[in-house]
Amino acid sequence: MLLYQAPPAAVARLSEWKVELSPASVAAGTVTFTVTNGGSVPHAFEVEGHGVEQETPLIQPGATATLTLTLRPGGYEVYCPVGNDSHKKLGMVTSLQVTAPGGAAVSDPMDHAATVATHSIRVTGGGPVIQILPGPFPFPDSAAPVLQQFGDEREGLESQVQNGPYSNNIATISGTFSFRAWDLGPTRDSVDGTAQFTTQDGARWKLVMDRVQTKDVPHHPRFGGVIMGLYYHGVTGVHTPLVPTINSAVALWAFGHLYRNDSLVTDGAMVHVMLLSHTRRANDFALACWDCSKNKIDELQLQILPPAGAPKFDAPGGFLFVNWERSR
């Protein structure tokens, strides 16, 4: 009598923004991965290395998928490929070690375990500056199907369709902004920069950024630090769909010292910066595209929010510095 022996099994849990794999080491041969999406947005699961590059279909929040592969000994990279690997860049990556028969580890000079690359970017230059004020989202029909994927976030996002922070309600203002950012890994990123601008009401603002936010930020999604080269927003499954889809040279989340008319407002302003692909028309600065990801990367976006738990201060939250340049 022949007995069927099921392939060795591994369990993976996906969430914002990590991949939890158990066990992290399996024997060579056929392996079945059971993958659960424990997050609030769609994810997928991919295994890459030694001639293998296979992934599951998109897994909706709360759903489970399986992936069965035949693996040779060595190291493999395991990650979420959603958003042209944007989820991977946000931290959804881990490694899998496949051992030779008998459980022996294999020395693998081409190991696909994740490594940390060091990058820096300097953003300088200038151009028109606009202040983005709350108003209706210009592409509600395009965003509507995407909103359905956001679970508990959906109600809050739907309210922003009518009065959100990414509108065509803008005012032309003046200002300057330059910074340098270093992508050194999850806990060692850094930033140094200053923005100065005069808002619609005539107030003079100065923001000094000197440290990044590397812990959860109090809105969806929950990530921080400095990240180079993200493809996100819109239909990508990364962050809110109520922004056109873009590519960014750098995205960062930081704390800043904020001054209004030379008086300190807070030493803990929460700051989000993106150097992103072109989204606005030259004549009236209206949002010009739903998918702007193939456009030239030359717009610099700055958002400033009160620190967590602090009273809201009277500072508008969104600014766009148009036609800026970057250098490595």
Side-chain angles (χ1 to χ4, degrees):
M1 181 175 64
L2 297 176
L3 296 177
Y4 172 74
Q5 186 174 0
V11 175
R13 186 179 187 275
L14 311 177
S15 59
E16 294 83 59
W17 300 97
K18 59 185 176 181
V19 176
E20 299 170 280
L21 185 63
S22 179
S25 178
V26 297
T30 302
V31 181
T32 295
F33 298 88
T34 300
V35 187
T36 299
N37 182 357
S40 59
V41 298
H43 294 299
F45 179 83
E46 181 162 335
V47 178
E48 181 178 350
H50 302 282
V52 172
E53 187 171 1
Q54 296 291 324
E55 65 184 80
T56 66
L58 202 65
I59 307 171
Q60 295 298 325
T64 297
T66 60
L67 181 67
T68 299
L69 302 173
T70 300
L71 303 177
R72 293 163 30 197
Y76 292 77
E77 195 173 49
V78 178
Y79 59 92
C80 174
V82 168
N84 286 2
D85 287 353
S86 281
H87 284 201
K88 176 183 176 182
K89 292 176 182 177
L90 291 168
M92 295 191 69
V93 58
T94 189
S95 58
L96 171 71
Q97 186 66 34
V98 178
T99 60
V106 176
S107 176
D108 183 8
M110 297 300 290
D111 200 322
H112 282 71
T115 57
V116 176
T118 299
H119 302 284
S120 68
I121 188 170
R122 185 187 299 274
V123 180
T124 59
V129 184
I130 64 171
Q131 180 179 347
I132 306 170
L133 303 166
F137 183 64
F139 306 105
D141 293 340
S142 298
V146 187
L147 287 172
Q148 298 175 10
Q149 302 178 0
F150 277 74
D152 293 341
E153 302 287 334
R154 181 177 173 182
E155 183 176 348
L157 289 171
E158 286 178 336
S159 70
Q160 291 182 13
V161 172
Q162 300 303 320
N163 194 33
Y166 302 102
S167 68
N168 285 336
N169 184 17
I170 62 99
T172 302
I173 60 171
S174 61
T176 61
F177 188 14
S178 63
F179 67 89
R180 185 161 186 185
W182 292 264
D183 184 2
L184 303 170
T187 61
R188 298 187 298 120
D189 294 346
S190 58
V191 64
D192 177 26
T194 301
Q196 297 188 74
F197 48 90
T198 300
T199 48
Q200 183 187 38
D201 59 1
R204 293 177 291 105
W205 296 87
K206 179 179 179 180
L207 172 73
V208 179
M209 298 186 302
D210 59 2
R211 62 210 190 279
V212 297
Q213 160 67 294
T214 58
K215 298 182 180 180
D216 288 355
V217 294
H219 55 78
H220 182 85
R222 302 184 183 279
F223 53 85
V226 177
I227 305 174
M228 304 289 184
L230 275 183
Y231 169 75
Y232 67 154
H233 294 315
V235 299
T236 64
V238 185
H239 212 291
T240 172
L242 299 181
V243 182
T245 300
I246 58 95
N247 271 305
S248 66
V250 61
L252 67 88
W253 293 259
F255 291 116
H257 309 277
L258 184 65
Y259 301 84
R260 184 181 189 275
N261 295 332
D262 300 321
S263 296
L264 180 66
V265 176
T266 177
D267 281 317
M270 299 187 69
V271 182
H272 178 37
V273 177
M274 288 190 301
L275 180 60
L276 69 158
S277 47
H278 202 92
T279 64
R280 301 263 171 177
R281 291 196 299 246
N283 57 340
D284 60 0
F285 303 111
L287 284 168
C289 43
W290 168 243
D291 185 350
C292 309
S293 59
K294 293 180 173 59
N295 293 349
K296 181 181 178 181
I297 296 177
D298 63 357
E299 292 183 357
L300 182 62
Q301 182 172 304
L302 167 67
Q303 290 180 295
I304 307 172
L305 299 169
K312 183 178 179 180
F313 49 73
D314 186 22
F319 306 91
L320 193 70
F321 299 76
V322 186
N323 298 326
W324 282 63
E325 300 176 354
R326 45 64 184 286
S327 62
R328 297 289 180 179

